[in-house]
Amino acid sequence: MTTTETMAQPGPTAAGAKPMIELVGLTKRFPGTAEAAVDGLTLTVNEGEITVLVGPSGCGKTTSMELINRLIEPTSGQILIDGEDMTHTNPDELRRHIGYVIQETGLLPHRTIAQNVGTVPGLLGWDKARIAARVDELLEMVGMDPATYRGRYPKELSGGQRQRVGVARALAADPPVMLMDEPFGAIDPITRERLQNEFLRLQQQVRKTIIFVTHDIDEALKMGDRIAVLRNQSHIAQYDTPENLLTSPADDYVSDFIGAGASLKRLNLSRVRDIEMATDAPTASLSTPVAEVRAVLLASTWTSLLLLDATGRPARWVNSRDLARAEKGTALTELGLPVEAIVEPHATLADALDELIASNVGCTVVVDGTGAYQGVVDLETIMTVVRTVRDEYERFHLAQKLAQQPADGQVR
Amino acid sequence: MTFAEYLTRNYDNLLELGLEHLNLVLISMGIALAVGLPLGIVAHRNGFLRNPILAGAGFFLTLPSLALFSIFIPVLGIGAPPAIAALSLYALLPIVSNTVTGLASVSPAVVKASQGMGMTGFQRLLRVELPLAWPVILTGIRVSTQVVIGIAAIAALVGGPGLGTEIFRGLRSQGNASAPNLVYGGTLGVIVLALLLDAAFVLIRRLTTSRGIR
Ligand SMILES: Nc1ncnc2c1ncn2[C@@H]1O[C@H](COP(=O)(O)OP(=O)(O)O)[C@@H](O)[C@H]1O
Ligand SMILES: [Mg+2]
């Protein structure tokens, strides 16, 4: 078997995607252990994509990761980056060109945030002015005001801020490849959600080749362009896109790992901008005369109308009872309900559903980057997506059953 | 002669002996540091050597001080050299053991991240591990210094310099009316020196420890 055959074997290769990291039969056996921690891992990671390694605790994710930047030396196998065998290069030099983020952040506690972020550029011998400029640029990128934070120490930051600095530090020397080992694993769920979203936005700009490790399938589905579901010893159970994992899991191990609610999980993959949102909701400007507003509402099939402020931003939901009171003189701005459920087009349907459930109104308002009204997503829209996935899933299982029948027949 | 009279008359002499004493302590501590710090680093990095090194450094503390001072007389003669040799050995254990403890207390995540960023082993030691272990190491140095200031007084028995000379002069002239003054004078000098050095350590600690780990 040639190397290329081995490499081409697992996982989908999307048209146009260029392989960046190729792991070939990577094996690590720790001294004194019966089983290899990583056994013959062969995986191709495409340039500019986030590839997630997901699997239960102890299945070998961290070991696999550390084999790539050679914190652990492989027992056998090869690591090719950009076609070049990394197994025999200088490991320190190699690591300076691979961004590395770990769950515990590992920020240097005795150094300021600026010094932490500037570590790798310093090792690479950049001059002071260039490092300082780069540090400020990166702090901006991860949403931290450089003037406020550059002189602080890690202990003076919250957990979420520390992990932002960890990400900035990994990006400092603009490495083509990043390794992230459960980077958001130790952060509270709300902050984690925010960091995930911000990181995805950041990745749109920087387009790094990223290997992202997590034990959380939901995080994997959210972050991954491609996901390798691992079983023990880093054996790949399935290497596929998130959509395919949800609709066509390779076996029981994978579907068990994805767990119940695969179709609900699909909501994490669909973004508001990708679906048909309702644009027929009645709207009117706050300055419109009440009689006219009422006419708009009556002409629609809706029970509530969305009032927009002068800049086109959603202001309040009002129904016909509110409008009746408005005719008696109450100001429109004091009637109805404030608009609480608001998302931007890049939000996932899961976000939209969350907002919807938390609000008193049966739908979530979609606004553009400036906050101007775009349309609404209601429960019906979301249910349609869920149903589509379930249908696809059932079709897949049916197809699998049909495919097995003739084979069974032959055996008998 | 009252003690106060003694002090005013012997002030210059005590000051000179005090400086000799300080000198003896600083030289011994310098040698102990130059040997102890590397030994501590080796003991931290090499699991096989750790216990032998710690046991070796601990061994000297168990020897009676007079014996340790005398051992060196045949080789180094009398005076300051055997005193310095003995004091350096006494100072070793707290420095070595605190270096090991300090380095071991550095968070594994910090070590891993430093390695993962591409620091060489030496860079990691110099820029990460030693600075982080420093407060613990400095405590070791401080303890050593206090031990050495006291034991240095015995150096006078092997002809060494320092405040011990005054103390033993007093002890030898028992019965003489001014004898207690000499003993108290020398002892007072040792105490003052110990307090001054301890204050210096508080200052050094402040100046050499990053605000991030204070
Ligand atoms: N340094 C080591 N020595 C021996 N065994 C190890 C070492 N590191 C990890 N292992 C073992 O290798 C397996 C995989 O560990 P790890 O890669 O940390 O898993 P994960 O990151 O998926 O939780 C585990 O069984 C673990 O006990
Ligand atoms: Mg792990």
Side-chain angles (χ1 to χ4, degrees):
Chain A
M1 192 174 12
T2 69
T3 323
T4 21
E5 271 167 7
T6 325
M7 287 180 318
Q9 183 211 344
T13 347
K18 173 173 167 279
M20 177 77 177
I21 306 173
E22 289 155 278
L23 310 181
V24 188
L26 209 52
T27 297
K28 176 64 190 183
R29 190 182 300 277
F30 286 107
T33 53
E35 285 195 325
V38 172
D39 178 32
L41 176 63
T42 297
L43 183 79
T44 301
V45 173
N46 288 331
E47 183 169 23
E49 289 189 348
I50 301 182
T51 295
V52 176
L53 306 183
V54 64
S57 177
C59 74
K61 305 181 295 293
T62 296
T63 308
S64 306
M65 184 83 117
E66 292 178 356
L67 283 166
I68 299 171
N69 66 0
R70 295 185 51 205
L71 285 177
I72 298 175
E73 292 294 344
T75 310
S76 62
Q78 268 188 314
I79 303 148
L80 307 179
I81 297 184
D82 238 351
E84 223 179 299
D85 188 355
M86 290 294 136
T87 339
H88 301 290
T89 55
N90 176 335
D92 294 320
E93 195 54 39
L94 169 74
R95 291 182 200 127
R96 290 174 195 173
H97 301 281
I98 299 181
Y100 187 45
V101 185
I102 56 177
Q103 177 175 335
E104 312 87 336
T105 65
L107 294 183
L108 308 180
H110 61 305
R111 302 195 135 209
T112 62
I113 300 310
Q115 289 169 331
N116 265 286
V117 175
T119 307
V120 180
L123 291 173
L124 292 171
W126 293 18
D127 64 61
K128 282 210 170 84
R130 186 173 167 210
I131 295 179
R134 179 68 177 154
V135 165
D136 284 4
E137 180 190 6
L138 282 158
L139 288 177
E140 293 273 6
M141 256 162 99
V142 298
M144 294 181 67
D145 174 38
T148 313
Y149 292 106
R150 79 166 83 80
R152 292 217 186 155
Y153 286 91
K155 70 170 181 190
E156 296 163 333
L157 303 186
S158 70
Q161 288 174 326
R162 264 180 240 158
Q163 202 49 277
R164 283 167 201 263
V165 175
V167 171
R169 182 173 72 170
L171 284 167
D174 207 15
V177 172
M178 296 241 289
L179 305 180
M180 307 178 79
D181 192 349
E182 313 222 11
F184 310 133
I187 294 170
D188 69 88
I190 294 171
T191 311
R192 183 192 311 148
E193 187 86 27
R194 183 163 344 126
L195 287 184
Q196 288 168 341
N197 292 340
E198 286 175 13
F199 186 74
L200 285 172
R201 204 170 313 146
L202 190 61
Q203 165 68 353
Q204 298 282 321
Q205 296 172 38
V206 297
R207 292 268 167 218
K208 300 290 176 198
T209 305
I210 297 171
I211 299 187
F212 188 109
V213 160
T214 177
H215 63 266
D216 174 359
I217 184 67
D218 292 313
E219 183 170 61
L221 291 168
K222 178 168 185 180
M223 305 303 288
D225 293 307
R226 242 155 258 277
I227 299 173
V229 180
L230 303 179
R231 46 177 127 236
N232 248 350
Q233 301 181 284
S234 270
H235 289 145
I236 298 179
Q238 185 169 4
Y239 183 36
D240 223 324
T241 60
E243 288 79 7
N244 287 345
L245 275 186
L246 288 177
T247 50
S248 9
D251 56 21
D252 286 350
Y253 178 83
V254 176
S255 39
D256 283 353
F257 195 74
I258 292 171
S263 30
L264 274 179
K265 282 178 180 143
R266 177 66 187 257
L267 295 179
N268 272 317
L269 301 177
S270 315
R271 306 215 165 247
V272 169
R273 61 166 176 257
D274 302 329
I275 59 158
E276 205 68 27
M277 59 188 162
T279 48
D280 64 337
T283 63
S285 157
L286 274 172
S287 56
T288 318
V290 177
E292 251 175 71
V293 175
R294 217 168 167 179
V296 174
L297 178 56
L298 282 176
S300 77
T301 57
W302 291 61
T303 56
S304 293
L305 173 145
L306 183 63
L307 288 168
L308 307 176
D309 70 11
T311 57
R313 297 193 183 130
R316 299 186 83 79
W317 286 106
V318 289
N319 57 25
S320 54
R321 212 162 347 122
D322 298 323
L323 291 176
R325 285 174 59 201
E327 280 179 336
K328 289 188 190 121
T330 317
L332 279 176
T333 48
E334 282 163 24
L335 289 167
L337 294 166
V339 181
E340 277 158 357
I342 299 181
V343 293
E344 289 188 25
H346 60 73
T348 64
L349 286 192
D351 296 336
L353 182 61
D354 272 350
E355 292 282 324
L356 190 154
I357 289 166
S359 80
N360 294 316
V361 192
C363 59
T364 298
V365 177
V366 183
V367 297
D368 65 14
T370 68
Y373 171 74
Q374 299 261 292
V376 298
V377 175
D378 60 7
L379 202 53
E380 189 50 40
T381 324
I382 293 173
M383 285 310 298
T384 311
V385 176
V386 174
R387 266 195 300 273
T388 320
V389 178
R390 207 174 42 214
D391 293 349
E392 272 175 46
Y393 188 77
E394 273 161 14
R395 251 201 316 280
F396 168 77
H397 273 274
L398 194 64
Q400 252 190 344
K401 258 190 219 142
L402 291 175
Q404 276 164 7
Q405 270 166 0
D408 285 351
Q410 273 171 3
V411 173
R412 274 176 204 135
Chain B
M1 186 167 53
T2 65
F3 187 56
E5 280 169 355
Y6 158 82
L7 277 187
T8 32
R9 256 187 243 168
N10 283 276
Y11 178 77
D12 283 350
N13 178 38
L14 278 178
L15 191 66
E16 193 174 319
L17 289 176
L19 286 176
E20 273 179 26
H21 201 99
L22 177 67
N23 202 26
L24 184 63
V25 170
L26 290 184
I27 292 174
S28 310
M29 284 306 299
I31 294 173
L33 258 180
V35 177
L37 211 54
L39 272 183
I41 293 167
V42 170
H44 168 70
R45 294 219 160 175
N46 187 322
F48 288 113
L49 292 178
R50 187 169 312 143
N51 284 332
I53 289 177
L54 285 173
F59 168 72
F60 297 112
L61 269 187
T62 65
L63 293 179
S65 35
L66 190 55
L68 192 56
F69 278 105
S70 320
I71 287 173
F72 290 104
I73 294 179
V75 200
L76 299 171
I78 58 164
I84 290 173
L87 291 176
S88 305
L89 289 178
Y90 271 118
L92 219 46
L93 180 68
I95 295 177
V96 175
S97 73
N98 277 41
T99 302
V100 174
T101 312
L103 290 174
S105 72
V106 176
S107 137
V110 170
V111 173
K112 187 155 108 173
S114 311
Q115 226 179 337
M117 287 189 291
M119 286 191 193
T120 63
F122 191 62
Q123 286 169 330
R124 179 157 48 94
L125 181 69
L126 233 52
R127 299 183 191 187
V128 180
E129 296 182 297
L130 283 177
L132 289 177
W134 181 242
V136 180
I137 298 176
L138 194 63
T139 305
I141 300 175
R142 186 174 170 178
V143 170
S144 275
T145 308
Q146 297 299 331
V147 169
V148 165
I149 290 175
I151 299 182
I154 301 171
L157 288 181
V158 293
L163 291 160
T165 335
E166 191 77 348
I167 299 174
F168 283 108
R169 205 152 62 88
L171 291 178
R172 270 195 303 267
S173 48
Q174 287 272 327
N176 187 325
S178 68
N181 282 342
L182 301 185
V183 176
Y184 293 143
T187 309
L188 181 69
V190 170
I191 292 171
V192 170
L193 195 58
L195 289 177
L196 284 177
L197 278 182
D198 220 38
F201 270 106
V202 174
L203 195 69
I204 291 172
R205 188 185 167 118
R206 268 207 95 67
L207 294 178
T208 57
T209 311
S210 156
R211 194 157 61 77
I213 53 172
R214 240 183 257 148

